[in-house]
Amino acid sequence: QVQLVESGGGSVQSGGSLRLSCAASGYSTINYYMGWFRQAPGKEREGVAAIDSDADRIYGTFVKGRFTISRDNTKNTLYLQMNSLKPEDTAMYFCAAGRALLLHQGYWDYWGQGTQVTVSS
């Protein structure tokens, strides 16, 4: 049973930072592409960042150098360091494991329950 559990969300002021973590169990993360998605109320889920086993990364266009995705395969854990947060980054953030280094939901097979990030102005 593949399980992904996110943590690290919370409330911060604009310009602040948060580090999200995603603990994976039931499989080895090295076998999967790993990614972060987010969904704000009333909006569609969108891709934030993804990383493959060679640490190649892609980011959503809105990231603009503010976020960094990383993974520790020895700990089966995925991270998302978010800096210079803006109110528009407020959303539920989801960890996912998938089959390609693409930010299209169709390539992602396993999902966590999400962790809430709220950024106030």
Side-chain angles (χ1 to χ4, degrees):
Q1 183 79 12
V2 175
Q3 284 193 323
L4 300 170
V5 179
E6 303 93 337
S7 62
S11 297
V12 296
Q13 290 190 329
S14 181
S17 298
L18 283 174
R19 188 194 195 204
L20 306 184
S21 298
C22 172
S25 62
Y27 75 104
S28 175
T29 57
I30 197 170
N31 296 320
Y32 285 88
Y33 297 86
M34 299 294 296
W36 290 98
F37 289 75
R38 71 183 188 183
Q39 187 168 19
K43 294 188 177 182
E44 294 187 355
R45 190 173 296 189
E46 62 180 348
V48 178
I51 186 170
D52 67 12
S53 58
D54 293 324
D56 293 322
R57 302 169 172 89
I58 59 171
Y59 293 95
T61 55
F62 58 86
V63 170
K64 296 182 180 179
R66 300 180 298 128
F67 300 173
T68 302
I69 188 172
S70 61
R71 63 194 294 169
D72 185 337
N73 292 327
T74 64
K75 296 181 179 179
N76 258 16
T77 302
L78 177 72
Y79 303 99
L80 184 69
Q81 177 67 43
M82 303 188 294
N83 300 325
S84 302
L85 283 162
K86 306 174 183 180
E88 51 263 45
D89 294 318
T90 295
M92 185 71 78
Y93 283 71
F94 298 90
C95 170
R99 294 169 278 117
L101 196 64
L102 294 169
L103 293 177
H104 299 289
Q105 292 187 60
Y107 293 96
W108 299 87
D109 303 313
Y110 303 103
W111 296 85
Q113 293 300 307
T115 185
Q116 178 68 37
V117 171
T118 302
V119 185
S120 59
S121 57

